[in-house]
Amino acid sequence: MLTIATGNKAVAAAVKEVKPSVVAAYPITPQTEIVETIADYVDAGTLSAAYIPVESEHSAMAACIGASITGVRTFTATSSHGLLYMHEMVNWAAAARLPIVMANVNRALGPGWNIWAEHTDSLQERDTGWLQVYVSTVQEAFDTTMMAFRIAEDERVLLPVMVNLDGFTLSHTFQSLETVIPGDYLPPISLPHAIDVEKPCGYGPMTGPDDYFRFRWDIERSMRDSGAVINEAQRIFAEKFKRSYGMTEEYRCEDAEVLVIAMGTLGKEAEVAVDVLRNEGIKAGSLRIRWFRPFPDLDIRGRDVVVIDRDYSFGFGGILADSIRARYSCSVSSVIAGLGGQEVTYNDIAAFVRDRKPGTEHWFGVKA
Amino acid sequence: MYEIRIHSRGGQGGVTAARLIALAAFRDGKYATAFPFYGAERRGAPVVSFVRIDDLPIKIYSQIASPDLVVVLDSSVMDSVDVLHGLKAEGSVFLNAAHSESIGDHRTYHVDLTGIALRNSLVVAGSPILNTPVLGALAKMGVITVESAKKAISEMFPDERNTRAAEEAFQELAL
């Protein structure tokens, strides 16, 4: 069906089509519209799921874990402080190898109290063993949510997936949306380690020093294998539904001498900046990171790199810039921009490129 | 690209107006995005919402700095907000008003949307509904087609009074 919808509604619409058995959630701005919409589907009978309105985000993830262990499809959504409140259970979900899908509507952390877009919330969950993907349009939010279930539930992965969309900038923006029905794109869930509720037994027992590391390595091995699974899921999605996605989205990169690297809606706005720069004779390209975990292979050799971080790790640097420096031993022009919903236009992004200085960090809007 | 900025007060439906206009443009076969600026708004506080319409997919998420059209649903916001800020030199203005003078050098249109809403008993929680009749005015101005305006309204608000109010606004707007 072709309509227009917000990013939040697109996520909810995808969840309706993948038919989870259990949705447990706690509302938080700017995510609330997702779980409200799903609750409406359940109430109207258009989605046959157990909707559990829990008392906190920690409980939301705990309820998803409990349900997922029995081998059923589960979903939750959160944002910002809600995500951090469930942090303990976020770790648990990955280590228990449960293919839970969660939408996180990226929002800054307080104080100062702020409800607008920033990526520091999800990037604080970077090391938990969840796959992380960042989307940039309403359609991409729908498509990626649908793909996330296939990827998470694949036997080669069996790790949870977090679908991230920018608070308000995408969650509350109306754009065109074509909804599709997954059909055989999404096989029935089959969790090899599901417990039999008729014959309950212990789960997650003490794991001593002789074995624990093996389970950690197994998470990492699956994380590495997940790249191929993601590419396969995206390729088959493109064949079936005629919309293609990669680990990254590249725009005018082929002959680019300078790349703008960003995530989320800033990465889409960067494409307009690239057009502006190309008109000035500057050979720029945009490389938008979709999948942050597993971290994609990037072709940046021999080019200048401007990394825009809508996040920060205090005492060190922009988290995306740090990842690229560490992986590629390169000198990047790091820009910290868009924190707490700070307005960043394509003209601003074009200026970041014109004014780039490799090896420096520039906080947009802060006088040096 | 055609860019619209809508000024209203929280609770008057400016945000929904932006969504309706985007939906109508979409039904016209265009690409459209609609988004509000979310402040810590409450009922009665000035609110700004935006619509972009183009023949190509729209990649811009930042706010509209130089609109082609400014829509003012509540002229009292003009006491505290510079609604003309950044308006293109050739840009136009639409006011919800029974009468209006030209504002600056800008082509200024007006319709008494409040009167139309009241006449059609389109009132929710004591506030007249302005976001469905305004589509009729914008259709007359050529921003969207009247067919798509009606289609968008009936998709989001099936109550026929909404479509009727838009038709009345279409009739009343003087080009």
Side-chain angles (χ1 to χ4, degrees):
Chain A
M1 193 182 72
L2 207 53
T3 183
I4 68 165
T6 61
N8 279 341
K9 291 275 189 188
V11 170
V15 170
K16 175 169 152 254
E17 299 305 340
V18 304
K19 300 182 172 49
S21 298
V22 174
V23 176
Y26 189 82
I28 180 169
T29 300
Q31 169 280 119
T32 304
E33 191 183 26
I34 297 177
V35 296
E36 263 177 8
T37 306
I38 293 172
D40 283 344
Y41 292 147
V42 173
D43 184 52
T46 50
L47 172 63
S48 174
Y51 183 92
I52 311 175
V54 289
E55 78 283 12
S56 76
E57 287 85 356
H58 188 277
S59 301
M61 186 50 65
C64 285
I65 288 169
S68 185
I69 282 174
T70 70
V72 301
R73 188 168 287 158
T74 56
F75 174 82
T76 188
T78 192
S79 182
S80 182
H81 289 259
L83 177 63
L84 300 197
Y85 193 32
M86 66 167 66
H87 174 67
E88 181 197 11
M89 292 291 106
V90 169
N91 279 271
W92 191 285
R97 311 304 304 264
L98 299 172
I100 297 164
V101 172
M102 169 161 63
N104 178 60
V105 180
N106 290 109
R107 167 187 151 181
L109 302 163
W113 204 239
N114 182 295
I115 55 174
W116 295 277
E118 191 179 316
H119 298 155
T120 309
D121 58 353
S122 52
L123 290 175
Q124 288 196 10
E125 304 300 322
R126 177 189 67 177
D127 303 334
T128 54
W130 283 61
L131 279 66
Q132 284 199 2
V133 57
Y134 292 77
V135 301
S136 71
T137 68
V138 167
Q139 186 68 57
E140 190 184 354
F142 178 93
D143 295 344
T144 304
T145 301
M146 190 169 276
M147 285 189 265
F149 285 90
R150 178 182 165 118
I151 294 161
E153 293 168 10
D154 190 292
E155 263 201 42
R156 293 164 287 175
V157 179
L158 292 177
L159 286 169
V161 177
M162 191 187 300
V163 179
N164 291 280
L165 55 155
D166 286 333
F168 292 109
T169 318
L170 186 56
S171 68
H172 285 62
T173 289
F174 262 69
Q175 291 174 339
S176 57
L177 170 68
E178 185 188 14
T179 61
V180 294
I181 294 163
D184 60 9
Y185 179 76
L186 187 62
I189 186 169
S190 169
L191 191 70
H193 57 300
I195 61 169
D196 181 352
V197 291
E198 301 301 324
K199 281 190 261 171
C201 58
Y203 193 93
M206 180 66 79
T207 308
D210 291 342
D211 296 305
Y212 179 83
F213 67 91
R214 297 179 206 283
F215 289 96
R216 293 283 128 174
W217 163 244
D218 203 53
I219 293 173
E220 174 56 15
R221 193 175 55 183
S222 296
M223 190 59 94
R224 292 179 189 185
D225 289 347
S226 70
V229 177
I230 291 166
N231 283 326
E232 181 185 287
Q234 292 178 153
R235 179 175 51 76
I236 296 169
F237 189 92
E239 285 165 11
K240 207 168 161 63
F241 303 113
K242 312 298 172 213
R243 285 188 294 272
S244 62
Y245 299 93
M247 293 295 288
T248 58
E249 183 177 39
E250 295 176 17
Y251 181 73
R252 303 183 81 169
C253 285
E254 302 81 15
D255 63 338
E257 290 166 2
V258 54
L259 296 177
V260 182
I261 304 183
M263 301 200 295
T265 52
L266 280 179
K268 186 55 73 179
E269 183 119 5
E271 295 183 8
V272 185
V274 163
D275 292 340
V276 169
L277 292 161
R278 290 262 174 180
N279 286 338
E280 296 171 5
I282 299 172
K283 284 189 175 176
S286 166
L287 183 52
R288 181 171 64 84
I289 306 280
R290 255 170 57 77
W291 292 89
F292 184 78
R293 283 292 180 274
F295 199 76
D297 291 326
L298 307 177
D299 177 15
I300 59 176
R301 278 160 304 176
R303 318 176 201 230
D304 275 7
V305 173
V306 177
V307 181
I308 304 173
D309 269 285
R310 186 167 223 163
D311 60 78
Y312 202 70
S313 174
F314 296 110
F316 206 86
I319 295 167
L320 183 58
D322 293 341
S323 304
I324 291 164
R325 282 192 204 102
R327 175 64 68 95
Y328 297 102
S329 306
C330 63
S331 182
V332 308
S333 304
S334 166
V335 180
I336 311 303
L339 300 189
Q342 180 190 31
E343 176 81 349
V344 182
T345 68
Y346 58 88
N347 283 319
D348 296 325
I349 297 172
F352 300 158
V353 172
R354 287 187 214 105
D355 302 341
R356 69 189 181 279
K357 290 192 191 74
T360 64
E361 179 181 284
H362 167 59
W363 281 64
F364 178 51
V366 176
K367 287 203 176 76
Chain B
M1 186 165 336
Y2 191 79
E3 298 182 306
I4 307 169
R5 188 174 66 215
I6 302 169
H7 293 272
S8 61
R9 291 187 181 278
Q12 287 179 331
V15 176
T16 306
R19 292 177 175 186
L20 277 164
I21 295 163
L23 180 57
F26 183 58
R27 293 293 175 229
D28 280 333
K30 309 267 191 179
Y31 289 93
T33 64
F35 60 103
F37 173 72
Y38 278 94
E41 63 267 47
R42 299 153 293 275
R43 279 187 90 76
V47 176
V48 186
S49 37
F50 305 95
V51 185
R52 285 192 169 96
I53 302 171
D54 202 1
D55 294 325
L56 296 168
I58 297 160
K59 300 171 170 185
I60 306 173
Y61 287 93
S62 48
Q63 293 174 32
I64 292 170
S66 7
D68 299 279
L69 168 66
V70 164
V71 173
V72 183
L73 291 181
D74 184 333
S75 55
S76 75
V77 301
M78 292 161 76
D79 298 339
S80 58
V81 177
D82 176 14
V83 300
L84 299 183
H85 183 77
L87 179 61
K88 287 192 180 115
E90 66 281 15
S92 43
V93 180
F94 172 83
L95 296 178
N96 168 24
H99 309 281
S100 82
E101 308 279 321
S102 280
I103 299 184
D105 295 329
H106 297 286
R107 179 97 191 250
T108 306
Y109 304 88
H110 68 92
V111 169
D112 179 13
L113 301 177
T114 306
I116 291 173
L118 295 175
R119 272 207 310 276
N120 286 280
S121 315
L122 279 170
V123 179
V124 169
S127 302
I129 293 172
L130 309 173
N131 50 29
T132 48
V134 75
L135 260 72
L138 265 57
K140 188 74 164 281
M141 291 161 62
V143 176
I144 46 178
T145 66
V146 69
E147 295 76 22
S148 295
K150 287 190 203 168
K151 213 181 279 177
I153 291 169
S154 58
E155 277 179 46
M156 278 176 72
F157 300 102
D159 187 326
E160 280 175 12
R161 287 175 298 178
N162 289 294
T163 323
R164 201 160 60 230
E167 281 167 349
E168 285 177 27
F170 185 89
Q171 297 302 329
E172 285 184 24
L173 185 127
L175 287 174

